[in-house]
Every structure is written in C-alpha cells, then in structure tokens.
Amino acid sequence: MSTVPTPSCSQPLYAVIDLGSNSFHMLIARLVADSVQVVDKVKRKVRLASGLDDDNQLDAKSMARGWECLSFFAERLQDIPKQNIKVVATATLRLAKNRQQFLDKAEQVLGHSIEVISGVQEAENIYLGVAHTTCSADKRLVIDIGGASTELVVGSGFDSKLACSLDMGCVTFNNAFFAQGALTESAFTAAISQARTILSTQKAVYKQQGWDVALGVSGTLQAVAEILTGQGLVQRLTLANLQAIKQQVIGCEHIDRLDIVGLQTERKPVFAPGLAILIAIFLEFDVSEVHIAGGAIREGILYELLPNMRNVNIRQRTLAGLIQRFSIDERHAYRVANIADNAFSQVQKVWSLSPALASILQSACALHEIGLLLEYKASKKHAQYIIEHADLAGFSNAERMLLIALIGNHKTELNLALLDKQSYTDKQTAIYLIVILRLAVILSKRRKDDVMPSFGIQGEKAGATLSLPESFMKSHPLISAELKQEVLDISECQFSLQVITNR
C-alpha cells in the first residue's frame, strides 16, 4: 500500500486588521520566494464614523455593525500565530468618547488586542505601506483621505520626515455638507472651503519641506482613476480632471441619481465629499498631479511584521519572486535585458526616453517568458493574464498596463489594442519600447552569452536602422530571416525598421 508523501511545511501566515472609519479591512499574507503573497483580503463597509453624534459618542447601531464584522474576521484568525497578528483602530475610535465600550467587546469577539493608534502613527504607517510597495522619486508626498481623517506625509526612503492627521474625511464631510444627498455647487464650495481652512494650518511647513512627487492611496483617488479609465481618458489625476469630474457629479443633482461612467456603486455614497477634500489639497498645496500608489496602512503594518523587508529593492523583490514562482529562465531573461539596455542607451536621446522607462523595459525583459510555464502556443496571452492579476509590489497600475502592452507584443503578431489600454506614456513612446524589446528577443535567440552580436541601432522619428556584422548574419540564417519578417511586422505600427550589415 503506497503512502501519501507528507507535504513540506508552508510559510507562516501574517494578518493585519485595520478598523477604519469607513471600512474594516483584513489582510492575510505569507512570504513566498522572498515576496509577499496575499492569501486573503476582506473588506466590510461598516461606516463607523457615520455613528458619531455631535458629542463624539458612537451609537449602538454602528457599534453592532463593527462587532458583527469582527466576528467574521475572528474565524480567519484562529490558526494564525498571535505574534503574527496586528489589529489597529484609527480616526473614529480616536474621536469616540465611548470607544472603550466598543473596544472591550471587540477584543472579546476577535480574541486579540486592538491598538488605537495616533493620527501621526496612522500617517507614518500609511507612508510605510507606500514605501514598501511603490517605486517613485525619493522625496514624496503621500495623501490618504479616510472616513474621518486625512493623512499627509512627506518622506524619503522608509523614513517619514513630516506627518499629520487632519480631522476631515469623506464620511464626516458627507454628514456635514452632503447629508441630504443634494449634489450642488454650493455644497462643494462649502466643503472645499472648509477643507482648505483645515489644510491652511499645515500649508507653510509642508511647502517648506517640499516633495518631488505626490502619491495617493485612498478610495477617493482610486475612484477618480477608475472614472478616468472608464471614460477612455489618460489616467492623470490633475486639478483640471478633478474639476471636470466635479461638474459631472453636480450634473447628477442627487446621490440617488449619481451615475458617472467608471464610478463603482460601492464608492458612490462618499465620493462627493472625498472629491471635495482632494480638490482642496490640490488648491491649497499647489499640487500639479497625483499618482496612485500601491499600498496603504495595512501594507505598512504588514511589511514591518515580515522579516527583513527593508533590505531589498521593491521591484527586484517582485521580479525575483515571479521568476522563481513561474520557473522563468532567469539567465536568459537578463540576457535579453542586457541587449535591450544597450539598444535603449543608443536611442534614448533621439527618442526622448526617460530613465523611468528603462526600468519598465528591464522588467518586461525579465518577465517576457512568464507565460511559458502554462503553454508555449498561447504564452503571450497567458503572460498578459498573469501580469494583469499578479501582486506587483513596486509597480503602479499604469506601469502594470504598460508592462502588459510590452510583454503582449514581445514577438510575432502585434496586438495594438494593448497600446490603447495603457496610459503611462504616449503611444509612440510605447512603440519605441516594443521595438527595442522585440529586437532584443530576436537577437538573443541562441540563448547563449558567447554568441551575442555587437550591434548598432540608430533611431529616428518613427523609425530605426539596425546594423549587424555580416559574419553574424551569415552564420545565423534563422535570426536573419526573423529580422526580415520583423521589418514587415513592425510596419503595422507605422514604424520603419531597416536592417543593414557591416563587415
């Protein structure tokens, strides 16, 4: 009688629970190949902040909703070591005078202690969530609009330099300015004015500190990004786009009729006040553009629970994890990356390619064969699916969509529709990157380091000339044939490629 082999021990689980003012969140994850694998995510709209009265007393109904939600969470915590669990409460439970009544029963339901963190601690953990999951310019302003508070942090690396938590949020502002559901210009004006008054107390010190890039992590910012994408616009969070969306909201007149393309149903109840606060931040802090970041408070707490997570580059950690999990030929992936990097440096100036694009291109090279584990014939389609749905710490959604466009076009027939789905860069620049990737893939066909050819590539507007040694072309007839075919294939992008030989 054969025996079933004993499975190897799996990595331990870690859990973070965030008792927010609008929603309660639970995040469960483990470490796989030195990268974080999310095992479970649960989000419940508790709207705790809506239960605060004028005297900051939580009503019985909101507390009951919170306890019910935590009873669901408790089931998942039973098999996780207590030292791997962290539960925090934020703005509403900081404000509530009767919070101990809620906390006593909540801890009993969960079977775990709950820490009510200060506004500054909340802001610092939000910043850590961004620092662990998002690549960006080193000095950044992080914005999080919550249910009862708004956090603003300026930091560098993993260190926050300036952090504050302001008593304004999408739930509390909804009660104050949009309580009857009317979506009017006057309601927005009053909400924006009040938010600017609150922000003005911090304006001077934040502008003195300065930042290179602004990043947003809240549901409001995600909703704006989804609206822009849903309406076929480039996903750029600018004041002009926010004002245009505000007019669309006002045009609906009432919350019951709020129906904007791209706005998800679950985001509708508190979208208007969140939008008003975001507009106020743009106006008061002179923000030109905000980019969506990948993490928030839960990720900040989680990554600090995990061992040794500050010592590895975020993107490199993500790429290494995917390479291991999907059995990618790492040596060949970086062989392709080296050729692409060589070509990139030769055409960077004439094609006006930013250094940030080089990093995305290198990532596409590292992952271009990720679909092979499933099947060769449809490997590009499999790769697109994996990249679209994988956890990609260190990559924004816009960067993810550019990766999909590159990897989905790294060889053979082109899928130009993928170019229209990405908004990270303009279409012509995306085509330039695709050209570099496709040529690197062809030139590395032998999959051997010692036969890599020396080559030159000269860029021009919507075109390039690739020069290769005559001896290489003669000794590699298959590569030569593929380059001839590539001249025809890439012409579908209105790109003119010439291949010449030199002695």
Side-chain angles (χ1 to χ4, degrees), residues 28-61:
I28 299 175
R30 62 177 181 150
L31 273 177
V32 177
D34 292 326
S35 63
V36 175
Q37 181 185 77
V38 174
V39 173
D40 201 3
K41 273 186 179 182
V42 184
K43 174 184 176 182
R44 293 277 175 162
K45 291 283 186 183
V46 175
R47 304 201 190 285
L48 204 62
S50 65
L52 282 175
D53 63 18
D54 293 338
D55 193 36
N56 282 337
Q57 295 284 336
L58 270 176
D59 64 25
K61 286 185 178 179

PDB file of all heavy atoms in Angstrom, residues 28-61:
ATOM      1  N   ILE A  28      -4.438  39.109   4.912  1.00  0.00           N
ATOM      2  CA  ILE A  28      -3.677  37.933   5.329  1.00  0.00           C
ATOM      3  C   ILE A  28      -2.680  37.597   4.225  1.00  0.00           C
ATOM      4  O   ILE A  28      -3.042  37.546   3.046  1.00  0.00           O
ATOM      5  CB  ILE A  28      -4.603  36.734   5.604  1.00  0.00           C
ATOM      6  CG1 ILE A  28      -5.586  37.066   6.739  1.00  0.00           C
ATOM      7  CG2 ILE A  28      -3.788  35.500   5.976  1.00  0.00           C
ATOM      8  CD1 ILE A  28      -6.609  35.988   7.010  1.00  0.00           C
ATOM      9  N   ALA A  29      -1.429  37.385   4.604  1.00  0.00           N
ATOM     10  CA  ALA A  29      -0.384  37.155   3.603  1.00  0.00           C
ATOM     11  C   ALA A  29       0.684  36.222   4.161  1.00  0.00           C
ATOM     12  O   ALA A  29       0.716  35.918   5.355  1.00  0.00           O
ATOM     13  CB  ALA A  29       0.235  38.484   3.186  1.00  0.00           C
ATOM     14  N   ARG A  30       1.560  35.777   3.264  1.00  0.00           N
ATOM     15  CA  ARG A  30       2.720  34.991   3.654  1.00  0.00           C
ATOM     16  C   ARG A  30       3.859  35.342   2.713  1.00  0.00           C
ATOM     17  O   ARG A  30       3.653  35.961   1.653  1.00  0.00           O
ATOM     18  CB  ARG A  30       2.419  33.494   3.594  1.00  0.00           C
ATOM     19  CG  ARG A  30       2.055  32.988   2.211  1.00  0.00           C
ATOM     20  CD  ARG A  30       1.830  31.496   2.197  1.00  0.00           C
ATOM     21  NE  ARG A  30       1.501  31.027   0.848  1.00  0.00           N
ATOM     22  CZ  ARG A  30       1.802  29.825   0.390  1.00  0.00           C
ATOM     23  NH1 ARG A  30       2.446  28.971   1.151  1.00  0.00           N
ATOM     24  NH2 ARG A  30       1.473  29.474  -0.831  1.00  0.00           N
ATOM     25  N   LEU A  31       5.050  34.943   3.079  1.00  0.00           N
ATOM     26  CA  LEU A  31       6.222  35.161   2.234  1.00  0.00           C
ATOM     27  C   LEU A  31       6.436  33.959   1.330  1.00  0.00           C
ATOM     28  O   LEU A  31       6.504  32.819   1.805  1.00  0.00           O
ATOM     29  CB  LEU A  31       7.469  35.381   3.091  1.00  0.00           C
ATOM     30  CG  LEU A  31       7.769  36.804   3.554  1.00  0.00           C
ATOM     31  CD1 LEU A  31       8.994  36.805   4.444  1.00  0.00           C
ATOM     32  CD2 LEU A  31       7.977  37.745   2.373  1.00  0.00           C
ATOM     33  N   VAL A  32       6.535  34.203   0.033  1.00  0.00           N
ATOM     34  CA  VAL A  32       6.828  33.158  -0.941  1.00  0.00           C
ATOM     35  C   VAL A  32       7.935  33.681  -1.844  1.00  0.00           C
ATOM     36  O   VAL A  32       7.782  34.714  -2.489  1.00  0.00           O
ATOM     37  CB  VAL A  32       5.590  32.797  -1.793  1.00  0.00           C
ATOM     38  CG1 VAL A  32       5.960  31.757  -2.845  1.00  0.00           C
ATOM     39  CG2 VAL A  32       4.463  32.281  -0.906  1.00  0.00           C
ATOM     40  N   ALA A  33       9.024  32.969  -1.881  1.00  0.00           N
ATOM     41  CA  ALA A  33      10.170  33.371  -2.712  1.00  0.00           C
ATOM     42  C   ALA A  33      10.567  34.816  -2.428  1.00  0.00           C
ATOM     43  O   ALA A  33      10.808  35.611  -3.335  1.00  0.00           O
ATOM     44  CB  ALA A  33       9.837  33.202  -4.196  1.00  0.00           C
ATOM     45  N   ASP A  34      10.610  35.161  -1.146  1.00  0.00           N
ATOM     46  CA  ASP A  34      11.027  36.487  -0.690  1.00  0.00           C
ATOM     47  C   ASP A  34      10.098  37.613  -1.145  1.00  0.00           C
ATOM     48  O   ASP A  34      10.465  38.781  -1.069  1.00  0.00           O
ATOM     49  CB  ASP A  34      12.465  36.811  -1.135  1.00  0.00           C
ATOM     50  CG  ASP A  34      13.485  35.934  -0.433  1.00  0.00           C
ATOM     51  OD1 ASP A  34      13.249  35.601   0.746  1.00  0.00           O
ATOM     52  OD2 ASP A  34      14.493  35.578  -1.064  1.00  0.00           O
ATOM     53  N   SER A  35       8.925  37.281  -1.645  1.00  0.00           N
ATOM     54  CA  SER A  35       7.947  38.303  -1.976  1.00  0.00           C
ATOM     55  C   SER A  35       6.644  37.985  -1.257  1.00  0.00           C
ATOM     56  O   SER A  35       6.394  36.842  -0.859  1.00  0.00           O
ATOM     57  CB  SER A  35       7.719  38.386  -3.495  1.00  0.00           C
ATOM     58  OG  SER A  35       7.187  37.189  -3.990  1.00  0.00           O
ATOM     59  N   VAL A  36       5.818  39.004  -1.094  1.00  0.00           N
ATOM     60  CA  VAL A  36       4.597  38.852  -0.326  1.00  0.00           C
ATOM     61  C   VAL A  36       3.491  38.273  -1.201  1.00  0.00           C
ATOM     62  O   VAL A  36       3.210  38.786  -2.288  1.00  0.00           O
ATOM     63  CB  VAL A  36       4.152  40.211   0.253  1.00  0.00           C
ATOM     64  CG1 VAL A  36       2.799  40.082   0.957  1.00  0.00           C
ATOM     65  CG2 VAL A  36       5.200  40.737   1.216  1.00  0.00           C
ATOM     66  N   GLN A  37       2.879  37.198  -0.726  1.00  0.00           N
ATOM     67  CA  GLN A  37       1.739  36.612  -1.412  1.00  0.00           C
ATOM     68  C   GLN A  37       0.503  36.832  -0.542  1.00  0.00           C
ATOM     69  O   GLN A  37       0.418  36.350   0.578  1.00  0.00           O
ATOM     70  CB  GLN A  37       1.936  35.116  -1.645  1.00  0.00           C
ATOM     71  CG  GLN A  37       0.778  34.461  -2.396  1.00  0.00           C
ATOM     72  CD  GLN A  37       0.947  32.959  -2.506  1.00  0.00           C
ATOM     73  OE1 GLN A  37       0.722  32.229  -1.557  1.00  0.00           O
ATOM     74  NE2 GLN A  37       1.372  32.501  -3.680  1.00  0.00           N
ATOM     75  N   VAL A  38      -0.457  37.579  -1.084  1.00  0.00           N
ATOM     76  CA  VAL A  38      -1.708  37.815  -0.357  1.00  0.00           C
ATOM     77  C   VAL A  38      -2.548  36.547  -0.427  1.00  0.00           C
ATOM     78  O   VAL A  38      -2.836  36.034  -1.504  1.00  0.00           O
ATOM     79  CB  VAL A  38      -2.478  39.005  -0.954  1.00  0.00           C
ATOM     80  CG1 VAL A  38      -3.846  39.161  -0.282  1.00  0.00           C
ATOM     81  CG2 VAL A  38      -1.675  40.294  -0.784  1.00  0.00           C
ATOM     82  N   VAL A  39      -2.941  36.037   0.733  1.00  0.00           N
ATOM     83  CA  VAL A  39      -3.738  34.821   0.830  1.00  0.00           C
ATOM     84  C   VAL A  39      -5.222  35.159   0.899  1.00  0.00           C
ATOM     85  O   VAL A  39      -6.068  34.458   0.354  1.00  0.00           O
ATOM     86  CB  VAL A  39      -3.312  34.005   2.071  1.00  0.00           C
ATOM     87  CG1 VAL A  39      -4.238  32.816   2.292  1.00  0.00           C
ATOM     88  CG2 VAL A  39      -1.870  33.534   1.918  1.00  0.00           C
ATOM     89  N   ASP A  40      -5.542  36.271   1.576  1.00  0.00           N
ATOM     90  CA  ASP A  40      -6.945  36.646   1.722  1.00  0.00           C
ATOM     91  C   ASP A  40      -7.045  38.134   2.006  1.00  0.00           C
ATOM     92  O   ASP A  40      -6.185  38.717   2.675  1.00  0.00           O
ATOM     93  CB  ASP A  40      -7.583  35.854   2.874  1.00  0.00           C
ATOM     94  CG  ASP A  40      -9.105  35.789   2.780  1.00  0.00           C
ATOM     95  OD1 ASP A  40      -9.658  36.313   1.794  1.00  0.00           O
ATOM     96  OD2 ASP A  40      -9.724  35.206   3.685  1.00  0.00           O
ATOM     97  N   LYS A  41      -8.104  38.727   1.468  1.00  0.00           N
ATOM     98  CA  LYS A  41      -8.439  40.119   1.751  1.00  0.00           C
ATOM     99  C   LYS A  41      -9.931  40.189   2.013  1.00  0.00           C
ATOM    100  O   LYS A  41     -10.716  39.659   1.230  1.00  0.00           O
ATOM    101  CB  LYS A  41      -8.101  41.036   0.563  1.00  0.00           C
ATOM    102  CG  LYS A  41      -6.694  41.570   0.506  1.00  0.00           C
ATOM    103  CD  LYS A  41      -6.564  42.569  -0.636  1.00  0.00           C
ATOM    104  CE  LYS A  41      -5.150  43.146  -0.705  1.00  0.00           C
ATOM    105  NZ  LYS A  41      -5.029  44.147  -1.792  1.00  0.00           N
ATOM    106  N   VAL A  42     -10.308  40.836   3.099  1.00  0.00           N
ATOM    107  CA  VAL A  42     -11.726  41.012   3.395  1.00  0.00           C
ATOM    108  C   VAL A  42     -11.962  42.480   3.711  1.00  0.00           C
ATOM    109  O   VAL A  42     -11.224  43.080   4.493  1.00  0.00           O
ATOM    110  CB  VAL A  42     -12.180  40.141   4.585  1.00  0.00           C
ATOM    111  CG1 VAL A  42     -13.682  40.289   4.802  1.00  0.00           C
ATOM    112  CG2 VAL A  42     -11.810  38.681   4.366  1.00  0.00           C
ATOM    113  N   LYS A  43     -12.977  43.047   3.083  1.00  0.00           N
ATOM    114  CA  LYS A  43     -13.336  44.447   3.318  1.00  0.00           C
ATOM    115  C   LYS A  43     -14.828  44.529   3.582  1.00  0.00           C
ATOM    116  O   LYS A  43     -15.626  43.986   2.825  1.00  0.00           O
ATOM    117  CB  LYS A  43     -12.966  45.297   2.091  1.00  0.00           C
ATOM    118  CG  LYS A  43     -13.437  46.748   2.168  1.00  0.00           C
ATOM    119  CD  LYS A  43     -13.109  47.469   0.865  1.00  0.00           C
ATOM    120  CE  LYS A  43     -13.645  48.887   0.872  1.00  0.00           C
ATOM    121  NZ  LYS A  43     -13.378  49.593  -0.408  1.00  0.00           N
ATOM    122  N   ARG A  44     -15.177  45.208   4.670  1.00  0.00           N
ATOM    123  CA  ARG A  44     -16.588  45.391   5.014  1.00  0.00           C
ATOM    124  C   ARG A  44     -16.870  46.872   5.241  1.00  0.00           C
ATOM    125  O   ARG A  44     -16.164  47.542   5.995  1.00  0.00           O
ATOM    126  CB  ARG A  44     -16.935  44.611   6.285  1.00  0.00           C
ATOM    127  CG  ARG A  44     -16.869  43.104   6.130  1.00  0.00           C
ATOM    128  CD  ARG A  44     -18.145  42.558   5.539  1.00  0.00           C
ATOM    129  NE  ARG A  44     -18.050  41.123   5.276  1.00  0.00           N
ATOM    130  CZ  ARG A  44     -19.099  40.339   5.083  1.00  0.00           C
ATOM    131  NH1 ARG A  44     -20.313  40.847   5.128  1.00  0.00           N
ATOM    132  NH2 ARG A  44     -18.945  39.055   4.820  1.00  0.00           N
ATOM    133  N   LYS A  45     -17.919  47.371   4.590  1.00  0.00           N
ATOM    134  CA  LYS A  45     -18.339  48.761   4.779  1.00  0.00           C
ATOM    135  C   LYS A  45     -19.110  48.865   6.094  1.00  0.00           C
ATOM    136  O   LYS A  45     -20.297  48.568   6.160  1.00  0.00           O
ATOM    137  CB  LYS A  45     -19.223  49.212   3.616  1.00  0.00           C
ATOM    138  CG  LYS A  45     -18.500  49.359   2.293  1.00  0.00           C
ATOM    139  CD  LYS A  45     -17.681  50.630   2.244  1.00  0.00           C
ATOM    140  CE  LYS A  45     -17.078  50.842   0.855  1.00  0.00           C
ATOM    141  NZ  LYS A  45     -16.225  52.014   0.782  1.00  0.00           N
ATOM    142  N   VAL A  46     -18.421  49.293   7.135  1.00  0.00           N
ATOM    143  CA  VAL A  46     -19.043  49.418   8.454  1.00  0.00           C
ATOM    144  C   VAL A  46     -19.561  50.835   8.690  1.00  0.00           C
ATOM    145  O   VAL A  46     -20.531  51.048   9.406  1.00  0.00           O
ATOM    146  CB  VAL A  46     -18.025  49.015   9.543  1.00  0.00           C
ATOM    147  CG1 VAL A  46     -18.592  49.242  10.939  1.00  0.00           C
ATOM    148  CG2 VAL A  46     -17.621  47.554   9.372  1.00  0.00           C
ATOM    149  N   ARG A  47     -18.905  51.813   8.077  1.00  0.00           N
ATOM    150  CA  ARG A  47     -19.249  53.234   8.219  1.00  0.00           C
ATOM    151  C   ARG A  47     -19.382  53.623   9.691  1.00  0.00           C
ATOM    152  O   ARG A  47     -20.384  54.200  10.123  1.00  0.00           O
ATOM    153  CB  ARG A  47     -20.535  53.572   7.453  1.00  0.00           C
ATOM    154  CG  ARG A  47     -20.455  53.206   5.984  1.00  0.00           C
ATOM    155  CD  ARG A  47     -21.455  53.976   5.132  1.00  0.00           C
ATOM    156  NE  ARG A  47     -21.524  53.438   3.792  1.00  0.00           N
ATOM    157  CZ  ARG A  47     -20.610  53.603   2.850  1.00  0.00           C
ATOM    158  NH1 ARG A  47     -19.549  54.329   3.096  1.00  0.00           N
ATOM    159  NH2 ARG A  47     -20.756  53.061   1.654  1.00  0.00           N
ATOM    160  N   LEU A  48     -18.334  53.299  10.437  1.00  0.00           N
ATOM    161  CA  LEU A  48     -18.321  53.596  11.865  1.00  0.00           C
ATOM    162  C   LEU A  48     -18.466  55.093  12.122  1.00  0.00           C
ATOM    163  O   LEU A  48     -19.162  55.502  13.057  1.00  0.00           O
ATOM    164  CB  LEU A  48     -17.016  53.062  12.469  1.00  0.00           C
ATOM    165  CG  LEU A  48     -16.989  52.751  13.960  1.00  0.00           C
ATOM    166  CD1 LEU A  48     -17.985  51.658  14.311  1.00  0.00           C
ATOM    167  CD2 LEU A  48     -15.590  52.342  14.395  1.00  0.00           C
ATOM    168  N   ALA A  49     -17.808  55.898  11.287  1.00  0.00           N
ATOM    169  CA  ALA A  49     -17.833  57.350  11.509  1.00  0.00           C
ATOM    170  C   ALA A  49     -19.235  57.947  11.406  1.00  0.00           C
ATOM    171  O   ALA A  49     -19.535  58.959  12.039  1.00  0.00           O
ATOM    172  CB  ALA A  49     -16.901  58.045  10.517  1.00  0.00           C
ATOM    173  N   SER A  50     -20.095  57.308  10.624  1.00  0.00           N
ATOM    174  CA  SER A  50     -21.460  57.835  10.492  1.00  0.00           C
ATOM    175  C   SER A  50     -22.254  57.679  11.779  1.00  0.00           C
ATOM    176  O   SER A  50     -23.315  58.289  11.946  1.00  0.00           O
ATOM    177  CB  SER A  50     -22.192  57.128   9.346  1.00  0.00           C
ATOM    178  OG  SER A  50     -22.376  55.752   9.646  1.00  0.00           O
ATOM    179  N   GLY A  51     -21.742  56.856  12.715  1.00  0.00           N
ATOM    180  CA  GLY A  51     -22.422  56.673  14.001  1.00  0.00           C
ATOM    181  C   GLY A  51     -21.981  57.634  15.078  1.00  0.00           C
ATOM    182  O   GLY A  51     -22.455  57.547  16.222  1.00  0.00           O
ATOM    183  N   LEU A  52     -21.081  58.559  14.778  1.00  0.00           N
ATOM    184  CA  LEU A  52     -20.650  59.564  15.753  1.00  0.00           C
ATOM    185  C   LEU A  52     -21.656  60.706  15.816  1.00  0.00           C
ATOM    186  O   LEU A  52     -22.015  61.285  14.791  1.00  0.00           O
ATOM    187  CB  LEU A  52     -19.282  60.131  15.377  1.00  0.00           C
ATOM    188  CG  LEU A  52     -18.026  59.307  15.684  1.00  0.00           C
ATOM    189  CD1 LEU A  52     -16.807  59.998  15.113  1.00  0.00           C
ATOM    190  CD2 LEU A  52     -17.862  59.087  17.186  1.00  0.00           C
ATOM    191  N   ASP A  53     -22.110  61.056  17.034  1.00  0.00           N
ATOM    192  CA  ASP A  53     -23.010  62.209  17.149  1.00  0.00           C
ATOM    193  C   ASP A  53     -22.202  63.472  17.405  1.00  0.00           C
ATOM    194  O   ASP A  53     -20.965  63.452  17.387  1.00  0.00           O
ATOM    195  CB  ASP A  53     -24.067  61.977  18.245  1.00  0.00           C
ATOM    196  CG  ASP A  53     -23.441  61.828  19.642  1.00  0.00           C
ATOM    197  OD1 ASP A  53     -22.272  62.234  19.830  1.00  0.00           O
ATOM    198  OD2 ASP A  53     -24.143  61.314  20.538  1.00  0.00           O
ATOM    199  N   ASP A  54     -22.896  64.575  17.654  1.00  0.00           N
ATOM    200  CA  ASP A  54     -22.206  65.860  17.831  1.00  0.00           C
ATOM    201  C   ASP A  54     -21.310  65.871  19.064  1.00  0.00           C
ATOM    202  O   ASP A  54     -20.415  66.711  19.175  1.00  0.00           O
ATOM    203  CB  ASP A  54     -23.232  66.996  17.924  1.00  0.00           C
ATOM    204  CG  ASP A  54     -23.969  67.206  16.606  1.00  0.00           C
ATOM    205  OD1 ASP A  54     -23.418  66.785  15.566  1.00  0.00           O
ATOM    206  OD2 ASP A  54     -25.079  67.768  16.617  1.00  0.00           O
ATOM    207  N   ASP A  55     -21.551  64.948  19.985  1.00  0.00           N
ATOM    208  CA  ASP A  55     -20.741  64.869  21.193  1.00  0.00           C
ATOM    209  C   ASP A  55     -19.693  63.762  21.088  1.00  0.00           C
ATOM    210  O   ASP A  55     -19.118  63.336  22.094  1.00  0.00           O
ATOM    211  CB  ASP A  55     -21.657  64.620  22.407  1.00  0.00           C
ATOM    212  CG  ASP A  55     -20.927  64.849  23.727  1.00  0.00           C
ATOM    213  OD1 ASP A  55     -20.078  65.769  23.789  1.00  0.00           O
ATOM    214  OD2 ASP A  55     -21.180  64.082  24.675  1.00  0.00           O
ATOM    215  N   ASN A  56     -19.470  63.268  19.863  1.00  0.00           N
ATOM    216  CA  ASN A  56     -18.497  62.199  19.602  1.00  0.00           C
ATOM    217  C   ASN A  56     -18.794  60.915  20.386  1.00  0.00           C
ATOM    218  O   ASN A  56     -17.884  60.242  20.879  1.00  0.00           O
ATOM    219  CB  ASN A  56     -17.065  62.677  19.894  1.00  0.00           C
ATOM    220  CG  ASN A  56     -16.517  63.540  18.775  1.00  0.00           C
ATOM    221  OD1 ASN A  56     -16.966  63.454  17.632  1.00  0.00           O
ATOM    222  ND2 ASN A  56     -15.559  64.392  19.097  1.00  0.00           N
ATOM    223  N   GLN A  57     -20.073  60.588  20.472  1.00  0.00           N
ATOM    224  CA  GLN A  57     -20.493  59.319  21.047  1.00  0.00           C
ATOM    225  C   GLN A  57     -20.904  58.390  19.900  1.00  0.00           C
ATOM    226  O   GLN A  57     -21.667  58.778  19.020  1.00  0.00           O
ATOM    227  CB  GLN A  57     -21.685  59.519  21.996  1.00  0.00           C
ATOM    228  CG  GLN A  57     -21.386  60.339  23.239  1.00  0.00           C
ATOM    229  CD  GLN A  57     -20.618  59.566  24.290  1.00  0.00           C
ATOM    230  OE1 GLN A  57     -20.665  58.330  24.321  1.00  0.00           O
ATOM    231  NE2 GLN A  57     -19.904  60.270  25.162  1.00  0.00           N
ATOM    232  N   LEU A  58     -20.373  57.160  19.919  1.00  0.00           N
ATOM    233  CA  LEU A  58     -20.764  56.169  18.918  1.00  0.00           C
ATOM    234  C   LEU A  58     -22.139  55.604  19.273  1.00  0.00           C
ATOM    235  O   LEU A  58     -22.392  55.242  20.421  1.00  0.00           O
ATOM    236  CB  LEU A  58     -19.760  55.025  18.893  1.00  0.00           C
ATOM    237  CG  LEU A  58     -18.551  55.126  17.950  1.00  0.00           C
ATOM    238  CD1 LEU A  58     -17.640  53.924  18.167  1.00  0.00           C
ATOM    239  CD2 LEU A  58     -18.973  55.214  16.503  1.00  0.00           C
ATOM    240  N   ASP A  59     -23.027  55.532  18.263  1.00  0.00           N
ATOM    241  CA  ASP A  59     -24.344  54.972  18.550  1.00  0.00           C
ATOM    242  C   ASP A  59     -24.303  53.446  18.536  1.00  0.00           C
ATOM    243  O   ASP A  59     -23.354  52.815  18.075  1.00  0.00           O
ATOM    244  CB  ASP A  59     -25.405  55.515  17.582  1.00  0.00           C
ATOM    245  CG  ASP A  59     -25.166  55.114  16.133  1.00  0.00           C
ATOM    246  OD1 ASP A  59     -24.512  54.070  15.890  1.00  0.00           O
ATOM    247  OD2 ASP A  59     -25.621  55.843  15.230  1.00  0.00           O
ATOM    248  N   ALA A  60     -25.353  52.846  19.065  1.00  0.00           N
ATOM    249  CA  ALA A  60     -25.406  51.392  19.235  1.00  0.00           C
ATOM    250  C   ALA A  60     -25.393  50.658  17.904  1.00  0.00           C
ATOM    251  O   ALA A  60     -24.776  49.589  17.773  1.00  0.00           O
ATOM    252  CB  ALA A  60     -26.651  51.018  20.039  1.00  0.00           C
ATOM    253  N   LYS A  61     -26.050  51.219  16.881  1.00  0.00           N
ATOM    254  CA  LYS A  61     -26.139  50.537  15.593  1.00  0.00           C
ATOM    255  C   LYS A  61     -24.765  50.422  14.926  1.00  0.00           C
ATOM    256  O   LYS A  61     -24.423  49.377  14.376  1.00  0.00           O
ATOM    257  CB  LYS A  61     -27.109  51.279  14.674  1.00  0.00           C
ATOM    258  CG  LYS A  61     -28.573  51.100  15.042  1.00  0.00           C
ATOM    259  CD  LYS A  61     -29.472  51.767  14.018  1.00  0.00           C
ATOM    260  CE  LYS A  61     -30.949  51.546  14.353  1.00  0.00           C
ATOM    261  NZ  LYS A  61     -31.839  52.210  13.361  1.00  0.00           N
TER     262      LYS A  61
END
